[in-house]
Amino acid sequence: ATGQIAGVDKDGRPLHPHVRVWDSVSLSTLQVIGLGTFERGVGCLHFSKADSGTHLAVIDDSNEHMLTVWDWQKKSRVAEIKTTNEVVLAVEFHPTDANTIITCGKSHIFFWTWNGNSLARKQGIFGKYEKPKFVQCLAFLGNGDVLTGDSGGIMLIWSKTTVESTPGKGPKGVYQISRQIKAHDGSVFTLCQMRNGMLLTGGGKDRKIIMWDHNLNPEREIEVPDQYGTIRAVAEGKADQFLIGTSRNFILRGTFNDGFQVEVQGHTDELWGLATHPFKDLLLTCAQDRQVCLWNSVDHTLEWTKVLDEPGHCADFHPSGVVVAIGTHSGRWFVLDAETRDLVSIHTDGNEQLSVMRYSVDGTLLAVGSHDNFIYIYTVLENGRKYSRYGKCTGHSSYITHLDWSPDNQHIMSNSGDYEILYWHIPSGCKLIRNRSDCKDIDWATYTCVLGFQVFGVWPEGSDGTDINAVVRSHNRKVIAVADDFCKVHLFQYPCSKPKAPSHKFSAHSSHVTNVSFTHSDSHLISTGGKDMSIIQWKLVEKASVSQNDNAVETNPTKAPILASEDLEYQSPPMPLPQLHNEVAHHENGTLGSSVSIENNLEETGVTSEEQSEEGSPDLGELNCKEPLQESNEEQNELTALTGDEQMGSPQS
């Protein structure tokens, strides 16, 4: 089960927080509970154990952090009570005592007795032991004792008294601390009870995984390398393996003997920069976390990563593929060798964010669009290794958002934050072209401008001008992909110069989609997410004619050693794109890292047309991803978890 936070749809209607119960094999939704019950979001939840998971305990994110107990199959709320105004970090049912529920969080641990529709609270007393700032995690020992890990690096064993009240002991049935163990330097973030009765603990500051024997004596330990971040979650894997989730969006698989291998990795902050290689199956991403990552879109693996001095926001490969230019938030831009990641050149244009880097078709010119309202033009020599300032396009009254070159290097079309479309003649000194009809017949080398005659049909009615973040035309000039603020990727026919043009619409991101780019062969589309920090790879499938009820299944070969990824090809929309013959995007979604593939089958499997999907899911609706992250899968896209890189950022650990 997962807890979803509140959001709004694109018309401003609220979407309520709720809990979704999933089938862990098919990944289909089994139940949606709590609509209209929870406030803000769901902070933590836990299935009951003593009755085989019939009940679900949920803590919401309201001020009172309401604890509710549900019979989830019947969608009925059994009991409800306020817990505390302090942060609650965990809730768990006792594995053998069906009537006991435990919650913990900021400076507290509560033991709840659940009886029918009532919940009674007993507070854990720390007594002579120092009260921690946060009790962060819970586990249960074989004898029924409760084990807690806290922000001071301490594990406490809470035992239930079984004798009548005696002086200094307290009443019968109260949990009291029976033992204290110093476990980690820094916080104990996670406790994992293993099948064999041993215990794994994960530390924050010391980045250690420690295995404890049945008497809670440390037996083995291993340190997670610093580059992966601090430990946030640990789970038991096959045989002697364990899985670790970290603060830098890594999922690691490891053993005490063999160390760690990366299963998933990704960016850790908002992601905007995306560039696909001109002739290889490679793509580059840069984000506010200062990381620049080069991914292989076939193997789904990370080729290399480099940390810049400042956040990256935009990128473009030189047509030779030898170098890549990356623009940052400060006006500086870097040129890196695409193979060795060595720094080739550094330049600065203004002191504001750079929003677009774009090489001309032959690679002899580079245009740099800035938030200082200027476009800086550079001549490029030696296959992108040498740059000299050629001129500056002056005339926009707001920041540059997008730009494209003409095939002959003569003209640039640009968009700005105040919705201007301007045209420039570069050989005459970057002059603004006053007579726009001079440029009406130019077949632009690329089409990434979100405003223009060939793409005005992609804008939905009532848009505020910022709802579309990126547009890209396929190299074969057949389709346009659109990234919007509502978690969606759209596919339109090109040119798209009529209002309310039909489109295919796909869900995968749980935040605003920041960028899109086709691979060099147009076989795949790459999309990047903002707050979900993910990179999704989509496969374009062109069909001659498919009825709406036809389903095709194809297997997606990956190097994934864990899960074979079988991709469902979605039902085609009732309103096909005529030139595409119902072209549908496969969503090969994954998380950056080594090759782990995950098949994501969510609740609904029809990819709908723009008009049809306006209704959305009756449970979830359509998300406005300008709001915080929320599960957005009213239409099921086929997702294969890009482990190597397809979804380049997993949700933050």
Side-chain angles (χ1 to χ4, degrees):
T2 58
Q4 315 301 131
I5 68 173
V8 296
D9 66 15
K10 69 177 188 178
D11 296 319
R13 295 185 296 260
L15 294 170
H16 297 294
H18 58 276
V19 171
R20 299 179 84 85
V21 182
W22 307 83
D23 184 305
S24 62
V25 178
S26 69
L27 301 185
S28 58
T29 298
L30 300 177
Q31 201 67 276
V32 176
I33 62 174
L35 284 168
T37 301
F38 309 124
E39 285 188 37
R40 297 180 189 152
V42 173
C44 44
L45 41 71
H46 192 253
F47 282 108
S48 56
K49 296 177 180 176
D51 60 4
S52 302
T54 301
H55 293 93
L56 188 65
V58 182
I59 303 279
D60 75 0
D61 284 336
S62 64
N63 291 339
E64 297 83 14
H65 297 98
M66 299 297 295
L67 166 61
T68 50
V69 179
W70 299 79
D71 183 329
W72 64 267
Q73 289 167 314
K74 296 178 182 177
K75 297 178 73 168
S76 63
R77 183 173 52 194
V78 179
E80 180 179 30
I81 196 168
K82 296 176 182 178
T83 61
T84 173
N85 287 335
E86 301 288 3
V87 173
V88 179
L89 297 174
V91 58
E92 294 207 17
F93 282 92
H94 195 286
T96 54
D97 183 355
N99 298 114
T100 297
I101 298 171
I102 301 167
T103 62
C104 65
K106 185 176 181 181
S107 300
H108 75 269
I109 179 169
F110 295 146
F111 299 89
W112 301 86
T113 301
W114 169 41
N115 189 0
N117 61 359
S118 71
L119 287 159
R121 185 183 84 178
K122 291 181 181 177
Q123 182 166 353
I125 306 300
F126 290 91
K128 66 180 181 180
Y129 300 97
E130 182 180 353
K131 180 183 284 190
K133 290 183 179 178
F134 292 94
V135 181
Q136 301 191 132
C137 47
L138 297 168
F140 298 92
L141 303 180
N143 61 2
D145 286 354
V146 179
L147 185 68
T148 61
D150 63 43
S151 54
I154 301 294
M155 291 194 299
L156 295 173
I157 299 176
W158 299 77
S159 302
K160 196 170 186 179
T161 59
T162 55
V163 296
E164 294 299 324
S165 177
T166 55
K169 287 292 184 182
K172 180 181 178 180
V174 174
Y175 281 92
Q176 294 181 326
I177 298 171
S178 60
R179 185 179 169 194
Q180 174 181 268
I181 302 159
K182 176 63 176 176
H184 288 274
D185 180 15
S187 294
V188 180
F189 269 104
T190 180
L191 301 170
C192 174
Q193 190 75 48
M194 300 173 72
R195 292 183 290 268
N196 62 7
M198 308 281 268
L199 179 79
L200 292 176
T201 63
K205 186 177 178 181
D206 62 11
R207 305 190 315 280
K208 286 182 179 177
I209 299 290
I210 301 177
M211 183 166 66
W212 305 78
D213 65 17
H214 295 75
N215 297 317
L216 291 182
N217 297 312
E219 191 169 283
R220 301 283 303 272
E221 71 174 49
I222 188 170
E223 187 173 316
V224 173
D226 181 57
Q227 75 235 40
Y228 299 135
T230 56
I231 299 161
R232 288 292 182 270
V234 176
E236 190 174 9
K238 295 179 179 178
D240 60 346
Q241 294 182 339
F242 46 86
L243 296 164
I244 301 170
T246 78
S247 59
R248 292 185 184 167
N249 284 354
F250 284 89
I251 296 178
L252 307 174
R253 183 182 300 274
T255 67
F256 285 103
N257 292 328
D258 301 328
F260 302 102
Q261 69 182 54
V262 175
E263 295 292 351
V264 170
Q265 65 194 100
H267 288 282
T268 61
D269 206 341
E270 195 154 325
L271 172 63
W272 284 85
L274 170 66
T276 49
H277 195 280
F279 52 85
K280 292 181 181 178
D281 294 316
L282 300 172
L283 59 123
L284 182 134
T285 57
C286 57
Q288 292 181 11
D289 60 7
R290 301 189 294 119
Q291 282 193 95
V292 177
C293 299
L294 184 72
W295 309 91
N296 186 307
S297 62
V298 174
D299 298 338
H300 307 159
T301 52
L302 179 67
E303 296 282 328
W304 55 254
T305 183
K306 185 181 182 74
V307 178
L308 299 178
D309 296 334
E310 50 201 296
H313 192 81
C314 52
D316 195 29
F317 277 97
H318 187 269
S320 68
V322 173
V323 298
V324 60
I326 299 159
T328 72
H329 280 226
S330 68
R332 294 172 75 197
W333 51 276
F334 303 87
V335 180
L336 303 181
D337 186 295
E339 186 170 340
T340 67
R341 66 188 150 179
D342 292 337
L343 186 61
V344 173
S345 188
I346 305 179
H347 300 269
T348 302
D349 288 305
N351 57 7
E352 296 191 47
Q353 175 182 305
L354 302 181
S355 48
V356 56
M357 312 288 291
R358 186 81 62 226
Y359 285 101
S360 61
V361 181
D362 61 3
T364 59
L365 293 169
L366 172 67
V368 179
S370 172
H371 272 226
D372 65 7
N373 304 355
F374 301 131
I375 301 171
Y376 301 90
I377 307 297
Y378 283 80
T379 55
V380 183
L381 300 171
E382 299 176 14
N383 268 353
R385 295 185 174 274
K386 190 174 180 181
Y387 296 81
S388 57
R389 174 80 73 84
Y390 174 81
K392 182 167 73 171
C393 300
T394 304
H396 273 293
S397 51
S398 184
Y399 58 91
I400 312 302
T401 58
H402 305 85
L403 64 85
D404 293 291
W405 284 95
S406 63
D408 59 6
N409 298 357
Q410 299 278 307
H411 299 91
I412 284 178
M413 170 175 59
S414 57
N415 292 169
S416 58
D418 57 355
Y419 319 126
E420 273 187 323
I421 310 170
L422 296 184
Y423 299 91
W424 312 87
H425 189 251
I426 304 306
S428 62
C430 307
K431 292 277 182 67
L432 176 64
I433 298 173
R434 301 291 178 182
N435 185 2
R436 301 187 180 189
S437 61
D438 293 349
C439 300
K440 65 183 177 65
D441 295 325
I442 294 176
D443 184 17
W444 301 96
T446 57
Y447 214 116
T448 61
C449 285
V450 298
L451 303 171
F453 179 74
Q454 308 286 4
V455 297
F456 77 80
V458 307
W459 287 86
E461 198 171 4
S463 296
D464 69 359
T466 65
D467 291 341
I468 290 179
N469 295 313
V471 162
V472 66
R473 182 187 64 195
S474 61
H475 299 89
N476 62 18
R477 289 170 160 75
K478 287 186 176 181
V479 290
I480 310 169
V482 173
D484 73 15
D485 262 348
F486 310 107
C487 319
K488 301 295 185 293
V489 174
H490 301 255
L491 202 61
F492 290 86
Q493 179 180 334
Y494 180 83
C496 187
S497 47
K498 66 174 183 178
K500 298 183 182 179
S503 74
H504 297 291
K505 182 161 78 171
F506 307 100
S507 295
H509 289 282
S510 59
S511 177
H512 53 290
V513 187
T514 55
N515 213 335
V516 281
S517 183
F518 285 97
T519 56
H520 66 95
S521 63
D522 288 335
S523 62
H524 293 81
L525 176 75
I526 311 297
S527 61
T528 58
K531 291 187 181 300
D532 68 11
M533 296 166 275
S534 66
I535 299 164
I536 310 293
Q537 178 167 321
W538 307 77
K539 183 177 182 181
L540 267 67
V541 179
E542 188 165 345
K543 291 266 177 103
S545 177
V546 183
S547 73
Q548 195 171 345
N549 295 322
D550 286 345
N551 277 332
V553 177
E554 80 170 31
T555 57
N556 177 37
T558 72
K559 291 187 176 179
I562 309 301
L563 299 174
S565 139
E566 193 170 75
D567 293 349
L568 277 179
E569 196 169 288
Y570 294 111
Q571 297 173 358
S572 60
M575 187 182 303
L577 302 178
Q579 291 184 356
L580 292 180
H581 304 292
N582 292 2
E583 186 169 277
V584 179
H586 259 344
H587 176 193
E588 300 173 21
N589 151 335
T591 34
L592 305 181
S594 62
S595 19
V596 175
S597 292
I598 300 169
E599 177 186 347
N600 284 317
N601 277 339
L602 300 180
E603 188 172 27
E604 300 176 19
T605 57
V607 172
T608 59
S609 72
E610 188 172 37
E611 285 83 357
Q612 182 186 6
S613 57
E614 288 300 322
E615 300 172 6
S617 156
D619 291 327
L620 210 49
E622 210 173 80
L623 301 177
N624 178 344
C625 291
K626 293 178 179 177
E627 289 297 306
L629 298 183
Q630 164 141 355
E631 190 72 16
S632 139
N633 290 305
E634 62 265 320
E635 305 122 34
Q636 164 57 28
N637 301 319
E638 38 176 353
L639 302 170
T640 31
L642 211 46
T643 62
D645 69 77
E646 289 174 338
Q647 173 183 336
M648 299 200 168
S650 60
Q652 198 158 3
S653 299

